[in-house]
């Protein structure tokens, strides 16, 4: 995708934020609302779905590229608006560098760790048709949210 700052792109991004906020999600990828473009959004302030999570800057990232920094990986619980009601324990790189463009066509380049890095990896996976259950290594740690986290 090469056109930025267009009404079409602004509408897509507004729809994506509406969907993400309506579901209290940490992020969303355009294919999740049926748009096959390489656009992801993410951002976390206080999020009831992730009460322990640190904040993540609200970001629109277009044509993203992720590079791991080192080999370190962590397991963390993930959910996904495309896999409703479920949670799974997913390995992700602990430290990454990511880059892409904003909706205005400005270059974004950041390093991220921990939950921030996890959210970016999860959302970018959607652009390649990868959902988090495909990355779970131990299926004992995949199940219904209300069973795994009855107190949530
Ligand atoms: Ni997802």
């Amino acid at each position: 995708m090469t056109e930025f700052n267009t009404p079409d792109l602004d509408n897509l991004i507004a729809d994506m934020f509406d969907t993400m906020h309506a579901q209290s999600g940490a992020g969303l990828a355009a294919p999740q609302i049926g748009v096959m473009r390489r656009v992801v959004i993410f951002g976390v302030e206080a999020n009831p779905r992730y009460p322990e999570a640190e904040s993540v800057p609200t970001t629109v990232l277009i044509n993203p590229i992720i590079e791991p920094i080192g080999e370190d990986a962590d397991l963390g619980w993930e959910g996904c608006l495309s896999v409703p009601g479920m949670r799974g324990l997913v390995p992700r790189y602990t430290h990454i560098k990511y880059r892409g463009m904003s909706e205005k066509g400005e270059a974004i380049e950041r390093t991220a760790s921990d939950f921030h890095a996890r959210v970016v990896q999860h959302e970018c996976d959607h652009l390649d048709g990868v959902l988090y259950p495909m990355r779970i290594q131990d299926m004992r740690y995949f199940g219904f949210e209300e069973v795994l986290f009855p107190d949530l």
Side-chain angles (χ1 to χ4, degrees):
M1 207 180 78
T2 52
E3 274 204 296
F4 301 96
N5 234 339
T6 63
D8 185 44
L9 181 60
D10 288 344
N11 287 336
L12 169 63
I13 289 163
D15 283 352
M16 289 173 69
F17 274 109
D18 284 348
T19 302
M20 183 178 103
H21 290 143
Q23 307 285 328
S24 297
L28 196 80
Q32 291 184 271
I33 58 167
V35 176
M36 295 299 133
R37 296 167 81 174
R38 298 187 74 81
V39 179
V40 301
I41 63 169
F42 48 84
V44 179
E45 291 175 31
N47 188 325
R49 282 172 67 90
Y50 301 96
E52 308 293 313
E54 62 260 50
S55 67
V56 177
T58 297
T59 303
V60 174
L61 193 63
I62 299 168
N63 296 336
I65 294 172
I66 296 177
E67 290 171 55
I69 300 174
E71 303 280 310
D72 290 353
D74 291 311
L75 289 169
W77 289 101
E78 296 187 14
C80 180
L81 305 181
S82 298
V83 191
M86 310 293 286
R87 291 287 182 97
L89 200 57
V90 183
R92 298 286 184 187
Y93 288 112
T94 310
H95 307 288
I96 61 169
K97 178 188 283 192
Y98 68 88
R99 54 199 163 89
M101 304 293 269
S102 78
E103 71 278 25
K104 309 286 185 206
E106 300 153 337
I108 295 172
E109 182 167 350
R110 292 183 188 148
T111 56
S113 297
D114 304 316
F115 184 66
H116 182 176
R118 174 173 299 278
V119 169
V120 176
Q121 290 170 85
H122 175 117
E123 297 312 329
C124 291
D125 263 357
H126 277 293
L127 303 179
D128 300 318
V130 176
L131 297 175
Y132 78 83
M134 298 158 74
R135 294 197 181 277
I136 295 175
Q137 290 169 337
D138 184 341
M139 294 306 283
R140 289 177 299 171
Y141 301 101
F142 177 50
F144 290 102
E145 202 167 57
E146 63 202 43
V147 175
L148 290 164
F149 303 99
D151 300 327
L152 209 67

